[in-house]
Amino acid sequence: RPRLQAADEEVANKIEEFIGKLKRLKEVPSPFTLIIDDPSGNSFVENPLAPQKDEALVVTHYKRTAQQDAMLGLAVTQAPSLRAAQRAASVLQFHTNCPECNAPASTNMKLVQIPHFKEVIIMATNCDACGHRTNEVKSGGAIEAQGTRITLRITDPSDMTRDVLKSETCSVEIPELDFELGMGALGGKFTTLEGLLKDIKELVERNPFNLGDSSAPGRAEKLREF
Ligand SMILES: [Zn+2]
């Protein structure tokens, strides 16, 4: 099947090229744009100049569509237990298994106040056996009155240290790379811009179907899953 092989090779080359581009973004060889669109309004990009205006950052609020409302309604069905936990304690620890090596690990659940934004629940898992660390952000079921679209123009490597909160319901787009990550593909994360790019790279390495023009069907699938 020489033709099939050639097609596979082409896809593999395309993925490798894309991963290379993603890695180089960290050095900001040329300005690029990060767009986080979150119908729940629970995502955030740090303005290091706050409360002064940040010319590189544009945040717009929008009214959700009926479809987005329906999607969010289903996405928060797990919220009551989180709300209960939120009431119970500011730090909570429970036992889990490492998602990498399955060894017993512990997850710390804590409330974190994000400056100039709001309080979120962060679940951090550290595995002593293999060193795997994850953090996941839960919005605790609260949904803002409007959706948010955050556009950050990245012009300098110092932008990589900006805090980024991406909720479990947002999509992430980098138009310069023709890249769009569907809603919910990465889960909720509180990280830096550099950390987010690393997570995207790892996700693409694991699941190249998030790449480029093939992302549209993936997005539709995600919506169906909800
Ligand atoms: Zn582990």
Side-chain angles (χ1 to χ4, degrees):
R1 304 269 178 88
R3 197 179 297 167
L4 195 64
Q5 255 174 24
D8 282 353
E9 218 165 279
E10 198 182 305
V11 170
N13 287 340
K14 203 179 153 196
I15 292 164
E16 207 165 296
E17 189 192 319
F18 177 78
I19 288 170
K21 279 187 195 165
L22 258 182
K23 281 185 185 161
R24 284 191 296 276
L25 279 188
K26 203 169 70 172
E27 275 102 51
V28 196
S30 59
F32 68 97
T33 317
L34 177 82
I35 302 169
I36 295 181
D37 192 320
D38 189 352
S40 80
N42 284 329
S43 294
F44 168 83
V45 171
E46 181 194 11
N47 164 9
L49 308 168
Q52 278 166 272
K53 193 174 164 20
D54 182 349
E55 295 297 335
L57 190 64
V58 177
V59 181
T60 56
H61 300 278
Y62 61 85
K63 194 176 179 317
R64 279 185 292 274
T65 63
Q67 192 195 15
Q68 285 171 323
D69 267 334
M71 193 259 323
L72 290 173
L74 290 172
V76 295
T77 47
Q78 54 174 329
S81 61
L82 285 169
R83 274 202 294 271
Q86 189 170 8
R87 274 197 301 271
S90 61
V91 180
L92 214 110
Q93 190 176 61
F94 55 92
H95 297 284
T96 44
N97 287 82
C98 171
E100 271 311 298
C101 74
N102 208 38
S106 61
T107 295
N108 287 302
M109 197 161 147
K110 51 189 164 180
L111 280 175
V112 175
Q113 175 64 45
I114 297 182
H116 306 286
F117 192 54
K118 62 176 177 180
E119 208 167 55
V120 295
I121 301 166
I122 295 186
M123 294 168 74
T125 306
N126 298 329
C127 175
D128 293 334
C130 76
H132 184 73
R133 298 166 78 90
T134 56
N135 88 65
E136 201 175 331
V137 174
K138 298 285 182 191
S139 51
I143 289 174
E144 297 296 312
Q146 290 189 302
T148 15
R149 186 175 170 89
I150 305 169
T151 306
L152 175 67
R153 186 75 181 149
I154 295 118
T155 52
D156 188 88
S158 68
D159 286 320
M160 290 298 141
T161 61
R162 287 180 189 244
D163 284 337
V164 175
L165 173 70
K166 70 168 288 302
S167 87
E168 56 268 60
T169 53
C170 78
S171 62
V172 179
E173 207 182 316
I174 304 173
E176 287 81 358
L177 292 193
D178 192 22
F179 174 78
E180 184 170 349
L181 189 64
M183 203 170 267
L186 263 181
K189 286 263 179 174
F190 183 49
T191 180
T192 58
L193 179 55
E194 182 175 357
L196 177 63
L197 293 176
K198 191 166 158 270
D199 287 340
I200 291 173
K201 181 176 76 72
E202 283 169 5
L203 185 78
V204 172
E205 281 167 341
R206 275 201 313 272
N207 181 6
F209 295 105
N210 287 301
L211 186 59
D213 39 33
S214 56
S215 67
R219 207 155 60 235
E221 252 164 60
K222 276 287 164 203
L223 282 172
R224 271 200 298 278
E225 274 173 34
F226 275 116

